[in-house]
Amino acid sequence: MAADSLSLTFTALADPTRRAILARLSRGEATVNELAEPFAMSLQAVSKHLKVLERAGLVTRGRAAQWRPCRLETAPLEEVSDWLGRYHEQWEDRFDRLDEELLRIQNGTEGEQSHE
Amino acid sequence: MAADSLSLTFTALADPTRRAILARLSRGEATVNELAEPFAMSLQAVSKHLKVLERAGLVTRGRAAQWRPCRLETAPLEEVSDWLGRYHEQWEDRFDRLDEELLRIQNGTEGEQSHE
DNA sequence: TGTGTGATCAACCTAAGAGTTGAACAACTG
DNA sequence: CAGTTGTTCAACTCTTAGGTTGATCACACA
């Protein structure tokens, strides 16, 4: 079931509909109807997606009359960013190796002298 | 089903066992047995997890005799990092607002004059 | 007070995830 | 060749996810 925060966040982000909802919310608050409008699915389905996003802490909702305006919360994204940071080093290493390679080729310290 | 690359990656990252496997692989290649050792689950279950990671492109495997050494691939993580980047601005905005707030308090431009 | 609108709840379906066990395949080792 | 080790395949179970429809709740307005 994976109750930990990171798993809930990754689970929430694993669906393209939910990522689209987040993209929409990054441009400002929106009601459920507004959020559902672009999608070829029922309002209830979108409501469920919002629940998943809420469970992950990516969305909070207010209460204005009969509307429940949704707001984006970035804290879980920062958590993801922190997690990613542990691996950032590795792909930088890869780039570093690539850089070295390119540098060696540019400097002509390899292949220029004798063979090949 | 979500066949897009980001969804596959987030799905793969949504499980703590799989994230632990990635953490192990970040310290170097490992066989399936080595990867399975820390977990209280069958080898077959770990094998399935590896398939999910492979499907997302987070792991590739070699072939050395009867072993299938697993290697970490960071490309999908970079993709996640890029995706996150679109939201980075937002949480920096939040921090900026916090900074302004703190600055205002430090400068004493608020509250210092009369009330409270 | 009744009616239209925004949103959720509840029941249901189908498919996919995560785990199990048992059998099979592949490659080394005696 | 037989046996051992590493790994996967296949079939099964249980739970969750994503979607549907129909009913219900909550509020605004006339």
Side-chain angles (χ1 to χ4, degrees):
Chain A
M1 186 164 285
D4 66 290
S5 171
L6 260 183
S7 296
L8 289 177
T9 303
F10 280 130
T11 296
L13 297 180
D15 185 284
T17 300
R18 287 194 289 265
R19 290 199 304 278
I21 289 175
L22 292 182
R24 168 64 187 80
L25 288 178
S26 76
R27 308 202 315 271
E29 294 195 3
T31 68
V32 179
N33 262 298
E34 286 167 349
L35 290 172
E37 195 273 328
F39 302 109
M41 72 179 67
S42 69
L43 202 69
Q44 290 94 322
V46 173
S47 194
K48 278 193 184 181
H49 281 303
L50 285 170
K51 256 189 165 169
V52 175
L53 291 167
E54 238 183 330
R55 186 177 50 155
L58 283 159
V59 158
T60 53
R61 343 176 59 159
R63 218 165 260 248
Q66 67 264 55
W67 295 276
R68 310 253 154 44
C70 301
R71 187 194 346 266
L72 174 66
E73 298 292 335
T74 55
L77 296 181
E78 298 179 50
E79 209 180 334
V80 168
S81 186
D82 290 346
W83 181 86
L84 264 185
R86 296 164 42 196
Y87 295 90
H88 203 171
E89 197 187 324
Q90 309 228 182
W91 76 67
E92 277 192 338
D93 281 358
R94 226 191 57 197
F95 282 130
D96 288 350
R97 282 198 297 278
L98 190 65
D99 284 346
E100 284 169 26
E101 191 75 18
L102 290 171
L103 222 61
R104 227 177 27 248
I105 290 166
Q106 280 192 319
N107 289 348
T109 54
E110 187 179 43
E112 190 73 10
Q113 301 253 39
S114 51
H115 48 33
E116 202 104 327
Chain B
M1 188 161 288
D4 65 291
S5 171
L6 260 182
S7 296
L8 290 177
T9 302
F10 280 129
T11 297
L13 297 180
D15 185 283
T17 301
R18 289 195 288 265
R19 290 199 303 278
I21 289 175
L22 291 183
R24 168 65 187 79
L25 288 178
S26 77
R27 308 199 315 271
E29 293 194 5
T31 67
V32 179
N33 262 299
E34 287 167 348
L35 290 174
E37 196 272 327
F39 302 109
M41 72 179 67
S42 70
L43 202 68
Q44 292 94 320
V46 172
S47 194
K48 278 194 183 184
H49 281 303
L50 285 171
K51 255 188 166 173
V52 176
L53 290 168
E54 238 184 330
R55 185 176 52 153
L58 283 159
V59 158
T60 54
R61 343 177 57 160
R63 217 167 259 248
Q66 68 265 56
W67 295 276
R68 306 291 311 279
C70 301
R71 187 196 346 266
L72 175 66
E73 298 292 336
T74 55
L77 297 181
E78 298 179 49
E79 208 179 334
V80 168
S81 186
D82 290 346
W83 181 87
L84 264 186
R86 296 164 41 196
Y87 295 91
H88 202 173
E89 194 187 326
Q90 310 228 182
W91 74 68
E92 277 192 337
D93 280 358
R94 226 190 57 198
F95 282 132
D96 288 349
R97 281 198 296 279
L98 191 65
D99 285 346
E100 283 168 27
E101 190 77 18
L102 290 171
L103 221 63
R104 229 179 23 250
I105 290 166
Q106 279 190 320
N107 289 348
T109 54
E110 186 180 43
E112 190 73 10
Q113 301 254 40
S114 51
H115 48 33
E116 204 96 331

